[in-house]
């Protein structure tokens, strides 16, 4: 009897535990847990908040809602190249691929002069710039396909073309620049007369640039003109050693209230041409023995006219939201294109090697364990 009572008691306890808790009990448990978790989770940084506020919601809304319509996706987005883009792929891109010897580029640590000349004169650096400014006016899909194709021949060459079309200031100028800035810079960027770079990353600031940026500028008035005195130390800036114009991000301060309501304190973006007084473009970096150009950009107490702020004085302090909207061109197009090319290269090379390499008197591709890995590589690359 005692054993039966104990068994019955345990069963009753299990049943009680499985029964749904009352509403007040659930509210108490969840509210307490939420309060504890809220204290433990760090607050949203300025970088994260700007990212949340920037951009729009597209196909990702359907993914997170669990209701995906592929038909709607196909109607909204075109994955076909235009006639101009296809002609460019069939001619200029093919010709450039034939010119690229990635082994020699790696040995020389640079692209040959005739390759640089071809890239500049054939419009590769102005693919996303509108035709009215001398660019090619290609779509995001066209941009992506060109970078993917070039990457299969040389990652360094593809990066050298991708950066001016994505992380360079061209996209910022098109969306936020003044008309005078667009008229002056965009034709020169499209023709390859000047190569751009963008100085965002520093020794102590990377992805959380808004929260950890130590580069600062102070609003001043000199000779009756409003400007900024900035000090900055940028590192890992792609294309910097050969750049003719530098996009620069810094944290703007206005202790004396000189902005007078036109613009605010905060992350601000400016354009400085090579040779600007006080601007130093340092020695070349050597990241991962890559052959694309990379180096530091520095300056102390550099005077920047308000006309050199991207978008003019009214855009002062809004730089981070501008970057969050425009950097998507690189983050969502150029970098994935490089990744797709790398995946295709892996699929081709390991597939071929598994065919010719033999162990136990059979090709590696006949071994089930190897086949599983090859199938995963092919599936994630092409499906």
């Amino acid at each position: 009897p005692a054993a039966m009572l104990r068994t019955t008691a345990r069963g009753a306890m299990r049943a009680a535990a499985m029964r749904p808790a009352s509403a007040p009990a659930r509210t108490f448990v969840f509210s307490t847990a939420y309060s504890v978790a809220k204290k433990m989770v760090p607050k949203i940084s300025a970088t994260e908040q700007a990212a949340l506020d920037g951009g729009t919601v597209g196909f990702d809304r359907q993914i997170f809602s669990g209701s995906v319509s592929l038909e709607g996706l196909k109607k909204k987005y075109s994955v076909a190249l235009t006639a101009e883009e296809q002609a460019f792929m069939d001619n200029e891109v093919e010709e450039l691929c034939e010119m690229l010897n990635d082994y020699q580029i790696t040995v020389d640590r640079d692209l040959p002069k005739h390759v640089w000349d071809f890239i500049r004169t054939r419009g590769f650096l102005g693919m996303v710039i509108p035709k009215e400014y001398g660019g090619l006016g290609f779509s995001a899909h066209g941009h992506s396909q060109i970078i993917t194709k070039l990457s299969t021949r040389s990652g360094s060459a593809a990066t050298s073309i991708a950066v001016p079309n994505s992380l360079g200031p061209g996209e910022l100028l098109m969306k936020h620049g003044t008309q005078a800035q667009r008229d002056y810079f965009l034709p020169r960027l499209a023709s390859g007369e000047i190569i751009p770079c963008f100085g965002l990353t520093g020794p102590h600031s990377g992805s959380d640039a808004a929260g950890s940026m130590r580069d600062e500028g102070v609003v001043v008035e000199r000779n009756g003109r409003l400007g900024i005195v900035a000090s900055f130390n940028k590192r890992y800036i792609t294309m910097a050693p050969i750049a003719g114009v530098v996009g620069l991000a810094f944290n703007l301060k206005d202790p004396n209230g000189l902005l007078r309501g036109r613009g605010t304190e905060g992350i601000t973006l400016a354009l400085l041409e090579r040779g600007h007084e006080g601007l130093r473009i340092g020695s070349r970096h050597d990241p991962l023995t890559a052959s694309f150009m990379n180096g530091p950009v520095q300056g102390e107490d550099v005077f920047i006219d308000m006309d050199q702020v991207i978008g003019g004085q009214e855009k002062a302090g809004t730089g981070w939201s501008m970057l969050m909207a425009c950097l998507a061109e690189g983050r969502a197009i150029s970098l994935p294109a490089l990744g797709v090319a790398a995946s295709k290269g892996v699929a081709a090379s390991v597939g071929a090697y598994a065919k010719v390499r033999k162990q136990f008197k059979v090709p590696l591709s006949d071994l089930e364990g190897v086949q599983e890995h090859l199938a995963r590589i092919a599936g994630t690359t092409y499906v």
Side-chain angles (χ1 to χ4, degrees):
M4 290 177 64
L5 287 172
R6 285 197 297 271
T7 302
T8 302
R10 283 197 296 269
M13 292 174 64
R14 282 198 297 270
M18 294 174 65
R19 282 198 299 270
S22 63
R26 285 199 304 271
T27 301
F28 172 77
V29 171
F30 290 134
S31 62
T32 303
Y34 177 76
S35 298
V36 173
K38 187 176 180 180
K39 294 177 182 178
M40 297 173 63
V41 175
K43 292 183 178 180
I44 293 177
S45 68
T47 306
E48 294 166 326
Q49 188 62 54
L52 290 170
D53 294 339
T56 58
V57 179
F59 183 64
D60 46 342
R61 180 196 298 274
Q62 296 183 16
I63 295 175
F64 286 106
S65 68
S67 176
V68 178
S69 170
L70 293 180
E71 285 300 318
L73 183 64
K74 287 192 291 184
K75 289 178 181 178
K76 185 172 183 180
Y77 301 102
S78 172
V79 291
L81 294 173
T82 66
E84 287 182 280
E85 291 167 348
Q86 188 63 60
F88 193 81
M89 285 283 288
D90 294 340
N91 295 283
E92 283 84 354
V93 175
E94 285 291 335
E95 188 174 351
L96 179 55
C97 285
E98 290 295 327
M99 297 168 67
L100 296 172
N101 181 336
D102 199 46
Y103 173 78
Q104 195 61 46
I105 290 171
T106 303
V107 171
D108 296 339
R109 311 308 307 284
D110 195 1
L111 306 180
K113 182 181 183 302
H114 71 280
V115 171
W116 273 119
D117 291 342
F118 187 85
I119 288 172
R120 290 172 185 264
T121 58
R122 297 303 179 94
F124 281 92
L125 302 181
M127 290 192 295
V128 301
I129 294 176
K131 291 181 179 180
E132 56 263 37
Y133 293 104
L136 298 179
F138 284 172
S139 66
H141 180 63
H143 173 195
S144 172
Q145 292 298 297
I146 291 168
I147 297 301
T148 298
K149 176 76 173 181
L150 294 172
S151 299
T152 63
R153 291 290 290 179
S154 171
S156 294
T159 300
S160 300
I161 293 171
V163 168
N165 283 286
S166 53
L167 304 179
E171 188 80 7
L172 287 164
L173 284 168
M174 288 186 286
K175 293 184 177 179
H176 302 287
T178 65
Q179 190 59 52
Q181 290 170 343
R182 289 195 289 266
D183 291 341
Y184 179 73
F185 282 109
L186 290 180
R188 301 172 71 200
L189 291 170
S191 67
E193 177 186 343
I194 54 173
I195 291 176
C197 71
F198 197 89
L200 175 63
T201 307
H204 305 285
S205 61
S207 299
D208 185 22
S212 57
M213 185 180 294
R214 300 184 182 182
D215 310 296
E216 289 192 353
V218 178
V219 181
V220 299
E221 193 169 359
R222 283 188 180 177
N223 301 320
R225 288 185 63 84
L226 202 62
I228 299 164
V229 172
S231 295
F232 44 90
N233 181 18
K234 302 295 185 180
R235 187 180 291 182
Y236 316 122
I237 309 306
T238 304
M239 308 307 287
I242 59 172
V245 60
V246 177
L248 186 67
F250 54 89
N251 196 8
L252 182 65
K253 305 291 184 182
D254 184 24
N256 299 315
L258 297 176
L259 291 175
R260 298 181 178 89
R262 293 181 59 204
T264 63
E265 293 185 325
I267 302 298
T268 299
L269 313 180
L271 290 174
L272 304 183
E273 293 187 78
R274 180 180 282 270
H276 186 95
E277 186 176 356
L279 174 66
R280 298 196 313 275
I281 297 177
S283 301
R284 184 178 174 185
H285 287 321
D286 185 18
L288 303 174
T289 64
S291 299
F292 58 81
M293 294 292 164
N294 192 285
V297 174
Q298 300 163 323
E300 289 86 34
D301 297 329
V302 177
F303 181 76
I304 302 171
D305 196 280
M306 277 295 173
D307 290 341
Q308 294 172 295
V309 173
I310 296 180
Q313 182 178 336
E314 287 75 10
K315 291 288 186 177
T318 65
W320 192 246
S321 59
M322 291 160 60
L323 283 173
M324 286 297 96
C326 292
L327 284 179
E329 191 76 15
R331 299 296 187 263
I333 297 176
S334 297
L335 295 183
L338 292 165
V340 168
S343 297
K344 288 183 175 181
V346 168
S349 58
V350 300
Y353 183 78
K355 276 290 187 183
V356 299
R357 171 70 171 171
K358 291 185 177 181
Q359 289 291 283
F360 310 109
K361 298 181 180 180
V362 297
L364 295 182
S365 59
D366 288 351
L367 304 177
E368 289 185 4
V370 175
Q371 289 175 347
E372 290 179 5
H373 292 294
L374 292 176
R376 187 168 68 252
I377 291 171
T380 55
T381 301
Y382 291 100
V383 178

